[in-house]
Amino acid sequence: MRAFIAIALAQRPREHLREVQKAISLVPLSGSSPSIVPPENLHLTLKFLGEVSPMQTDDLIASLRGVTVLPMAMHAEGLDCLPPRGRIRVVAANLAGEVGHLIALVDQIEQCCRQLGFVTEERPYRPHITLARARSDVKRSLQEDLQTATASAWPGPDFQITDFVLMQSTLKAGGAEYRVVELFPSPK
Ligand code: 2AM
C-alpha cells in the first residue's frame, strides 16, 4: 500500500482551516486555480513512506508502538507557499506552538523508519498542513495575494496533539483517499 505517517486534525482546527481554504479559493490566480484539499483529508504529515509491503507494515506498526508522544499544544500560524522558491506547488498553513515536541516525535519516527530500511528525509522538517495543490504553475508573485487574503485568519485555534496515525493513501481520479491503518496513542 501507499502510506504515510501523520497527525489527523481535530474538528476545531479543521473548521478553521476550511475557512482559510474558502479565502484562498476567492483569490484570482491567473487561471491556475489550485485544487483545494477536501476538509476531511486535512492532516499534518510526519513522514511520507511511499509503497510499503504487508511485511514492512507489520514491522513498522510494531516499531511505532515504541514511540513516545509528548502531548503538545499547536496552532496554525500563517500561510506558506511551497517549495520556498520557484513556482508554487502547494499552499499550506504553517504550524506553531510546542514545535520542539513535534520535532522530537518526527525524529523518533525517522529512526524507526531508518531501521526498517526506509529512506531518511534529508530536508529539515517543516510542519505544515497542505490546504491546496497547484494544478498548473502558480507564479511566486501570487504568494503575497494569498497571504493578504488570509492575513486575518491567524493564529488559528489551539489544539492538542496526543497521537498519530499510519495512513493509507489510495490515488483516485478525483484525488487521494485516506484510510487510518493504525492509531498510535500517547501513553496514559
Ligand atoms: P504535502 O502535503 O507537503 O504535499 C500524503 O501524500 C502526504 O505525504 C502529503 O501530505 C504530502 O505532503 C506528503 N508527501 C511527502 N513527500 C511526498 C511524496 N514524495 N509524494 C507524495 N506525498 C508526499
Side-chain angles (χ1 to χ4, degrees), residues 172-184:
K172 302 225 163 141
E177 259 180 36
Y178 298 150
R179 179 182 72 87
V180 173
V181 177
E182 194 80 24
L183 172 74
F184 300 91

Side-chain angles (χ1 to χ4, degrees), residues 2-187:
R2 186 177 191 266
F4 60 102
I5 300 167
I7 286 167
L9 279 193
Q11 195 181 342
R12 209 152 156 252
R14 194 183 295 278
E15 280 168 3
H16 166 251
L17 292 174
R18 178 74 198 117
E19 293 306 310
V20 177
Q21 288 179 313
K22 283 183 193 162
I24 291 171
S25 56
L26 293 177
V27 177
L29 295 175
S30 336
S32 47
S33 68
S35 82
I36 298 287
V37 175
E40 66 275 14
N41 277 3
L42 290 171
H43 64 271
L44 170 64
T45 302
L46 301 174
K47 168 87 180 158
F48 179 73
L49 299 165
E51 207 51 38
V52 183
S53 71
M55 206 165 90
Q56 279 178 313
T57 305
D58 291 346
D59 290 346
L60 188 60
I61 289 172
S63 177
L64 292 174
R65 288 248 163 266
V67 168
T68 306
V69 189
L70 292 175
M72 59 196 104
M74 304 289 290
H75 61 268
E77 181 66 81
L79 200 77
D80 209 355
C81 294
L82 301 169
R85 277 169 290 282
R87 299 283 170 148
I88 296 167
R89 292 208 314 266
V90 157
V91 181
N94 282 324
L95 280 196
E98 293 178 294
V99 176
H101 288 187
L102 188 63
I103 302 290
L105 175 59
V106 171
D107 285 348
Q108 289 181 76
I109 290 171
E110 279 291 353
Q111 207 178 324
C112 292
C113 292
R114 189 165 43 243
Q115 282 166 357
L116 295 172
F118 289 98
V119 176
T120 300
E121 178 60 67
E122 298 296 344
R123 293 170 297 182
Y125 181 66
R126 199 172 172 147
H128 67 272
I129 297 171
T130 296
L131 302 174
R133 290 194 165 79
R135 276 192 264 247
S136 55
D137 283 350
V138 175
K139 289 199 192 86
R140 176 62 49 182
S141 55
L142 293 166
Q143 177 165 347
E144 212 175 300
D145 295 348
L146 288 163
Q147 285 173 334
T148 304
T150 53
S152 63
W154 319 111
D158 264 319
F159 58 96
Q160 287 284 324
I161 293 175
T162 56
D163 50 36
F164 65 96
V165 294
L166 174 63
M167 195 87 94
Q168 178 178 12
S169 164
T170 308
L171 299 178
K172 302 225 163 141
E177 259 180 36
Y178 298 150
R179 179 182 72 87
V180 173
V181 177
E182 194 80 24
L183 172 74
F184 300 91
S186 56

